[in-house]
Amino acid sequence: MIDRSEPKLISGNSNGPLAQAIARRMSLHRGMSVSLVDARVERFNDGEVFVEVYENVRGEDMFIIQSTSKPANDHLMELLIIADALKRSSAARITAVIPYFGYARQDRRTKARTPISAKLVANMITQAGIERILTLDLHAAQIQGFFDIPVDNLYAAPVFALDVKHNFRGRLQDVTIVSPDVGGVARARELAKRVGCALAIVDKRREKPGEVAEMTVIGDVKGKTCIIVDDICDTAGTLCKAAEVLMEAGATEVHSYITHGVLSGPAVDRITKSVMKSLVITDSIAPTEAVQAAPNIRIVPTAPMFAQGILNTWKGTSVSSLFDTETLMPIYEGLYSE
């Protein structure tokens, strides 16, 4: 039997501030101090990961908070080795809370003789003894089927809907939600439905990978405030180009809401110099100093949502209730109060 006296959290090195924020948020919910389990996650001189847990976890319901963000391989190995340490220490159940699931873009074979790395990572996580996954905005929903364990995929759309309604109140009739490609239409339509706005699409045609040859706007954006919605922003080339195309099509201003701000290479510089008025990302990936200093990048916290998701998992209550904006409204009351 799982000891349900209190859930216990442990974190790797991928996103310490988010792990601490989740623990603080759970403390508010529980009315008692919830802190991260005392442990060390270090490297030997040759780069090997070493984990030592200083507290007793026998019979405990453990939650590992670890994004597999850059450096993806190091953080993935930390997750696997922490899970092995907990399993060998007789933890009753191990849940991996993975705010950003790396390798998710490798979910199918696009060419001959290429891997399906997302499936390989799913196998590794399952074999490490992890019994449940709690994640946010998987790049491809079918990745849930790669696991033989339960996967709860939370969505940023309800939180983004609160943010849009708060920051664009009084002018929502002039807002159009935009998908940056045909593949992301379902995600954009979901947010458009939540905020009651029109939908447009930027159709892009590539001549070769990594290069955007041509972009066309499908839908009327003239005189509109456009909000681009996507799950991942990596180098920001496509995003900044889409913003330019929308402005050329007559949009008055362009904003973007992206769940996972990978923001590698020249991304921050591109965004700072782009025509976009703002880029809103979550803290699923720990922001760099450059991201924090960028004047037009804003970060929305995910700790309230993950804290509630962990509590619901621990208590055995509905996690899908967090798909509703109305459910999240009281959780985010401090941020979006009228």
Side-chain angles (χ1 to χ4, degrees), residues 253-298:
E253 57 186 60
V254 178
H255 303 262
S256 294
Y257 280 74
I258 310 292
T259 307
H260 307 296
V262 177
L263 302 179
S264 60
V268 176
D269 186 55
R270 283 175 175 169
I271 291 163
T272 303
K273 296 175 180 176
S274 76
V275 297
M276 275 190 300
K277 290 197 70 174
S278 71
L279 167 64
V280 179
I281 59 175
T282 74
D283 57 356
S284 63
I285 297 172
T288 61
E289 290 183 5
V291 170
Q292 291 174 322
N296 58 343
I297 298 179
R298 184 162 56 85

Side-chain angles (χ1 to χ4, degrees), residues 22 63-67 95-99 132 134-135 306 310:
I22 291 171
F63 293 84
I64 309 171
I65 303 170
Q66 178 81 339
S67 284
T95 300
V97 181
I98 310 176
R132 180 179 290 272
L134 181 64
T135 188
F306 276 115
I310 290 170

Side-chain angles (χ1 to χ4, degrees), residues 176-189:
T176 295
I177 306 298
V178 180
S179 172
D181 53 44
V182 175
V185 171
R187 183 179 294 105
R189 185 188 293 120

Side-chain angles (χ1 to χ4, degrees), residues 11-82:
S11 172
N13 295 317
S14 70
N15 200 338
L18 175 58
Q20 292 285 357
I22 291 171
R24 285 195 301 271
R25 187 74 194 190
M26 289 179 65
S27 297
L28 292 174
H29 278 289
R30 301 291 298 152
M32 57 174 54
S33 178
V34 176
S35 59
L36 299 174
V37 166
D38 191 15
R40 64 176 174 137
V41 182
E42 298 178 350
R43 302 281 187 281
F44 289 132
N45 289 335
D46 63 353
E48 284 185 17
V49 177
F50 175 74
V51 173
E52 184 177 6
V53 182
Y54 294 125
E55 296 181 26
N56 177 31
V57 296
R58 183 180 297 273
E60 298 287 358
D61 197 357
M62 298 298 304
F63 293 84
I64 309 171
I65 303 170
Q66 178 81 339
S67 284
T68 51
S69 50
K70 182 181 179 181
N73 297 334
D74 285 4
H75 290 153
L76 176 60
M77 283 305 299
E78 284 184 10
L79 173 63
L80 300 175
I81 293 171
I82 292 170

Side-chain angles (χ1 to χ4, degrees), residues 110-127:
T110 55
K111 299 178 183 176
R113 297 173 296 281
T114 57
I116 304 179
S117 303
K119 172 58 178 169
L120 174 62
V121 170
N123 289 345
M124 293 166 66
I125 287 173
T126 305
Q127 287 299 313

Side-chain angles (χ1 to χ4, degrees), residues 168-299:
F168 295 89
R169 61 180 179 270
R171 54 188 181 120
L172 282 173
Q173 68 277 6
D174 297 323
V175 171
T176 295
I177 306 298
V178 180
S179 172
D181 53 44
V182 175
V185 171
R187 183 179 294 105
R189 185 188 293 120
E190 177 66 22
L191 182 59
K193 181 180 176 183
R194 288 178 185 273
V195 297
C197 295
L199 177 68
I201 304 166
V202 175
D203 179 36
K204 63 173 183 258
R205 296 188 178 91
R206 297 181 191 268
E207 290 187 350
K208 59 182 179 179
E211 289 189 9
V212 178
E214 182 185 353
M215 282 187 166
T216 307
V217 178
I218 302 173
D220 182 20
V221 297
K222 191 171 183 178
K224 298 290 187 179
T225 297
C226 290
I227 298 177
I228 301 173
V229 180
D230 209 351
D231 65 323
I232 295 175
C233 178
D234 193 345
T235 59
T238 300
L239 183 67
C240 293
K241 178 64 176 175
E244 290 174 13
V245 170
L246 289 167
M247 291 298 288
E248 289 168 5
T252 55
E253 57 186 60
V254 178
H255 303 262
S256 294
Y257 280 74
I258 310 292
T259 307
H260 307 296
V262 177
L263 302 179
S264 60
V268 176
D269 186 55
R270 283 175 175 169
I271 291 163
T272 303
K273 296 175 180 176
S274 76
V275 297
M276 275 190 300
K277 290 197 70 174
S278 71
L279 167 64
V280 179
I281 59 175
T282 74
D283 57 356
S284 63
I285 297 172
T288 61
E289 290 183 5
V291 170
Q292 291 174 322
N296 58 343
I297 298 179
R298 184 162 56 85
I299 301 170

